[in-house]
Amino acid sequence: MKAELLYEGKAKQVYRSSTDSEKLVLAYKNDATAFNGKKKESFPGKGRLNNEISSFIFPYLHERGIKSHFVKRLNETEQLVMETEIIPLEIVVRNLATGSITKRLGFEEGSLFESPLIELFYKNDELDDPLINDDHALLLTDVTHKDLREIKVKALEINTVLKEFFQSINLQLVDFKLEFGRLQNGSIVLADEISPDTCRLWDMETGAKMDKDVFRQGTGDLISVYEQILQRLERWV
């Protein structure tokens, strides 16, 4: 199903599809990274878990009118996706204050934002993915004002759907990172992955962190936490 390797990132490998020139194969790796790759470790089974969880979430979004690059799950660690030209922006949507924003702006940990807060980060490893504003995005990428408006609207729509989705399995969506790409026809769609690697999730009863923060902060076992999320999704279905 997959041909030559096109790209290898921190968490995934991207291959050309051997059967369709407009599609790619994403292969999820077992590596976990934090602090822009400064902390790194391999966890057997992590690639399977991220692939399985993302393969639950993308179809759920499709059913609610949110288009993405996702086509189908191929096997335990691989997905078939539409080829997109990734826009080098990370869109972070925050519902509660935690992580870097508490250090940058002094928000109290866990405080609720009255409206979801959107932040833009420039995808550039050499610069440590810096926080930028709209004007920076227009200078650094090929997006237009219209594109940025569209991306932000889509991000808020995704937030609304995902909050409800995770609540159904007793998880609070604290914040999450999105990436978008352009299809060959120029339209912008959701890309990358949605998993505990890209979302902060807190258990609604205990407040326990159920995401990659357990690895970032060294507070728990990443694989067991991700397994719990997958089990909740399987029971929910």
Side-chain angles (χ1 to χ4, degrees), residues 135-186:
D135 289 337
H136 294 141
L138 295 169
L139 287 170
L140 293 166
T141 75
D142 66 350
V143 296
T144 64
H145 287 287
K146 180 176 178 293
D147 293 336
L148 284 176
R149 287 194 297 271
E150 179 181 350
I151 286 169
K152 289 180 180 182
V153 167
K154 289 179 186 291
L156 291 175
E157 290 175 352
I158 293 165
N159 184 51
T160 298
V161 174
L162 286 183
K163 281 200 300 183
E164 178 184 338
F165 174 79
F166 283 118
Q167 283 175 2
S168 69
I169 58 171
N170 207 32
L171 293 172
Q172 183 173 27
L173 180 61
V174 176
D175 61 32
F176 60 103
K177 173 184 73 70
L178 299 173
E179 295 185 22
F180 291 88
R182 298 183 194 275
L183 296 174
Q184 291 185 8
N185 64 10

Side-chain angles (χ1 to χ4, degrees), residues 13-75:
Q13 295 170 318
V14 182
Y15 293 87
R16 175 73 59 195
S17 169
S18 60
T19 58
D20 190 329
S21 62
E22 294 186 359
K23 295 184 176 65
L24 304 174
V25 175
L26 298 189
Y28 285 74
K29 298 163 59 176
N30 287 331
D31 294 340
T33 63
F35 314 117
N36 200 31
K38 294 178 178 64
K39 182 177 183 180
K40 182 177 179 179
E41 192 172 338
S42 183
F43 295 89
K46 177 180 176 292
R48 175 186 67 84
L49 290 164
N50 277 359
N51 180 50
E52 299 282 9
I53 291 168
S54 281
S55 296
F56 268 104
I57 296 173
F58 277 121
Y60 183 89
L61 292 173
H62 285 186
E63 290 171 4
R64 281 144 187 83
I66 296 170
K67 296 179 181 179
S68 78
H69 69 165
F70 181 84
V71 177
K72 64 180 179 179
R73 172 190 175 279
L74 294 174
N75 52 50

Side-chain angles (χ1 to χ4, degrees), residues 73-91:
R73 172 190 175 279
L74 294 174
N75 52 50
E76 284 192 344
T77 59
E78 295 177 343
Q79 297 173 3
L80 186 68
V81 301
M82 296 297 296
E83 182 174 9
T84 63
E85 179 185 354
I86 295 296
I87 297 168
L89 295 174
E90 294 181 351
I91 317 301

Side-chain angles (χ1 to χ4, degrees), residues 127-140:
L127 300 175
D128 286 339
D129 299 340
L131 175 67
I132 62 174
N133 61 29
D134 287 13
D135 289 337
H136 294 141
L138 295 169
L139 287 170
L140 293 166

